[in-house]
Amino acid sequence: MLHSEEERASMEHVLGSGFHEHQLLETAGNWPVSGPIAWWGGPLDVEQLAARSVGLVCSALNALATPPLRAASATADIAAAFASSAHLRIAGESTQGFAPHSGFYRTADGWIRTHANYPHHESALKSALGMSSGSGIADALAGLPAHDAQERIVAAGGVAARVRSRQQWLSSAEGKVAGNGHWAQFSMRPLASAPFWKYDPRAGLPLQGLKVLDLTRVIAGPTATRTLAAFGAQVLRVDGPRLPELPWQHVDTGFGKRSTVLDAKSAAGRAKIHELLQGADAVILGYRPGALAAAGLGRDELAQRYPRLIIAELGAWGYSGPWAQRRGFDSVVQAATGIAQAYSGDGRTPGALPVQALDHATGYGLAAAIIALAGTRSAQGRTGAVRFSLARTAHALFALDEERECPADFGSGVQLRQMDSSYGMLEYVPPPFSFAGHAMDYPHPPAPYGESKPAWS
């Protein structure tokens, strides 16, 4: 479906306002995404969220040079990329998806959504309900009010949220603050003269030489760094030794990156991370707000210690209010913010978005912000930090809500590619971009988990 220029400007403002406010990116003008803009259907305009977030990456890349670089995308490729894990095959095997105890459960007065994909979160869920196995979870939750069940699970170190209407969320203390501010929340600072990365027109890819330290997990942060790696950035992902990543999730979001394990709680691990930060251009922090501050890895500490560093942060519920320190994932944020109720097929049973769109859109927004900040750092002599949250992305999705019809002939099927790896032959969705008129691919397969040298190459 086509939109008028006025409609496009309005939708552009939903995701682009933070970029405009700080003169980081002018997204008005040529729209770098082609193809129909409706395909999933449903009550919320998830397609616009997907297309606009990917389009921001293209706009940020194109702004690195004059004349603009030729980065673009097509909506069929975006649709496939937002469902990348569903299409992934590792040595012929499909991915797991949600674990058995992740999902919606009836409670005494409504519904709750749990997240137990990680073993430690599954253990916390069982502990909160006083059981050693998962066979009685449904019965235990059915006897509890949804709010009480939610708070029990959270207090035990688990992840859950009761299903609320949009109005219930907006009326709550946590909901009132989660939608504040721009989607991309920048804070800028002047930069003293220092060597830093600049776009090189002789390079094969536009981000070649940009060093990015990836301290994120799950989907949103790793999607951002996978995108940066596709355009040539050198990305090193760091995980802790106690909570390894799910293997299929590491593969899906690990293309183009290296992977190492460091313990931020040990003196040696902290020293190595700070050694890496001395040579980094950007860092993405994807743990709960404040979780890394004890290791000297909070935003303010990093900005003071590494003046030229671009700092990006990702959280579930925002950075103020009663839920700022709470764990969260895309599916759980959908439940709390009114999305699950909006996608109820019968008006009673909650539903979900067709893809993990909050994660993916936030990931592409992060990538666009880092690219824009890298370009501004070299062109204007200033740098800064940016914050995103999944709850703020949910707020943006509701702002894009509109009636639309889906074309019956959208796309021609997902075009998978193959790449050999240490995990076996991978069938995967390539990056949803073209550059200089050519479709893109990732520079190399995911590195074996944790086996890369903790150093810049």
Side-chain angles (χ1 to χ4, degrees):
M1 182 175 64
L2 298 177
H3 294 279
S4 68
E5 288 302 315
E6 183 177 349
E7 289 172 323
R8 285 188 172 185
S10 176
M11 288 183 287
E12 185 177 85
H13 180 78
V14 172
L15 300 189
S17 58
F19 292 87
H20 292 316
E21 182 190 42
H22 294 282
Q23 299 179 331
L24 292 168
L25 190 62
E26 289 296 331
T27 57
N30 293 329
W31 170 231
V33 175
S34 61
I37 207 67
W39 57 87
W40 285 312
L44 298 176
D45 199 348
V46 192
E47 298 94 329
Q48 280 290 343
L49 181 71
R52 291 286 162 186
S53 61
V54 172
L56 280 171
V57 176
C58 298
S59 296
L61 285 160
N62 291 338
L64 287 176
T66 303
L69 302 179
R70 295 165 58 196
S73 188
T75 54
D77 298 329
I78 294 170
F82 269 60
S84 61
S85 63
H87 298 299
L88 178 68
R89 298 294 180 270
I90 305 172
E93 298 293 328
S94 60
T95 59
Q96 174 187 336
F98 285 105
H101 304 309
S102 295
F104 292 109
Y105 289 90
R106 284 188 181 273
T107 65
D109 60 353
W111 291 85
I112 193 170
R113 176 90 193 207
T114 62
H115 193 286
N117 284 14
Y118 287 97
H120 60 292
H121 289 153
E122 180 181 343
S123 296
L125 173 63
K126 294 175 184 176
S127 175
L129 300 176
M131 56 187 58
S132 58
S133 71
S135 59
I137 288 177
D139 290 339
L141 289 171
L144 293 171
H147 180 268
D148 291 355
Q150 167 190 282
E151 294 306 305
R152 278 196 194 188
I153 295 167
V154 170
V159 185
R162 66 185 178 98
V163 175
R164 285 189 257 189
S165 69
R166 183 64 180 161
Q167 189 55 49
Q168 286 173 328
W169 170 251
L170 293 175
S171 299
S172 69
E174 53 271 16
K176 287 177 180 177
V177 298
N180 290 344
H182 298 293
W183 180 55
Q185 298 178 11
F186 293 95
S187 58
M188 305 300 295
R189 62 184 189 273
L191 178 66
S193 178
F196 47 78
W197 178 87
K198 293 184 179 181
Y199 165 70
D200 184 353
R202 300 166 298 177
L205 289 169
L207 300 183
Q208 189 169 314
L210 186 75
K211 297 182 179 70
V212 181
L213 195 62
D214 181 359
L215 301 178
T216 71
R217 291 169 64 82
V218 198
I219 298 175
T223 293
T225 49
R226 181 182 65 182
T227 301
L228 298 173
F231 286 99
Q234 183 184 163
V235 178
L236 178 62
R237 172 165 165 168
V238 178
D239 282 276
R242 297 171 185 84
L243 301 174
E245 183 61 281
L246 301 173
W248 65 266
Q249 205 156 257
H250 169 71
V251 172
D252 180 46
T253 59
F255 284 90
K257 299 188 251 184
R258 294 184 300 126
S259 167
T260 194
V261 171
L262 294 171
D263 187 358
K265 293 184 178 180
S266 73
R270 288 195 299 272
K272 179 55 68 173
I273 291 173
H274 283 286
E275 180 182 319
L276 291 167
L277 285 166
Q278 290 177 12
D281 292 288
V283 62
I284 304 185
L285 309 174
Y287 293 80
R288 284 183 297 157
L292 293 172
L297 298 172
R299 181 181 69 164
D300 294 340
E301 296 92 337
L302 290 176
Q304 184 174 7
R305 187 166 179 175
Y306 309 104
R308 70 185 184 93
L309 186 66
I310 295 166
I311 305 164
E313 292 180 281
L314 166 67
W317 306 104
Y319 298 86
S320 63
W323 280 24
Q325 303 296 320
R326 188 165 291 207
R327 298 173 180 87
F329 295 93
D330 184 312
S331 59
V332 177
V333 174
Q334 289 186 42
T337 59
I339 295 173
Q341 189 190 73
Y343 274 78
S344 172
D346 58 11
R348 298 182 300 275
T349 307
L353 296 176
V355 292
Q356 299 283 280
L358 305 183
D359 265 329
H360 285 274
T362 304
Y364 288 112
L366 278 161
I370 290 171
I371 296 167
L373 285 167
T376 298
R377 187 176 60 175
S378 60
Q380 301 178 17
R382 60 192 180 117
T383 189
V386 65
R387 283 175 164 173
F388 285 84
S389 75
L390 299 183
R392 184 62 184 79
T393 301
H395 189 77
L397 176 57
F398 277 97
L400 293 169
D401 183 21
E402 64 168 25
E403 295 292 330
R404 65 208 185 285
E405 295 182 1
C406 296
D409 58 347
F410 175 72
S412 56
V414 178
Q415 304 297 314
L416 299 180
R417 296 189 189 164
Q418 291 187 331
M419 185 183 292
D420 199 11
S421 76
S422 61
Y423 296 91
M425 183 60 68
L426 305 179
E427 296 178 72
Y428 63 96
V429 175
F433 302 100
S434 63
F435 181 65
H438 300 285
M440 295 191 65
D441 202 351
Y442 297 109
H444 58 79
Y449 181 82
E451 295 186 12
S452 301
K453 183 179 180 181
W456 300 113
S457 61

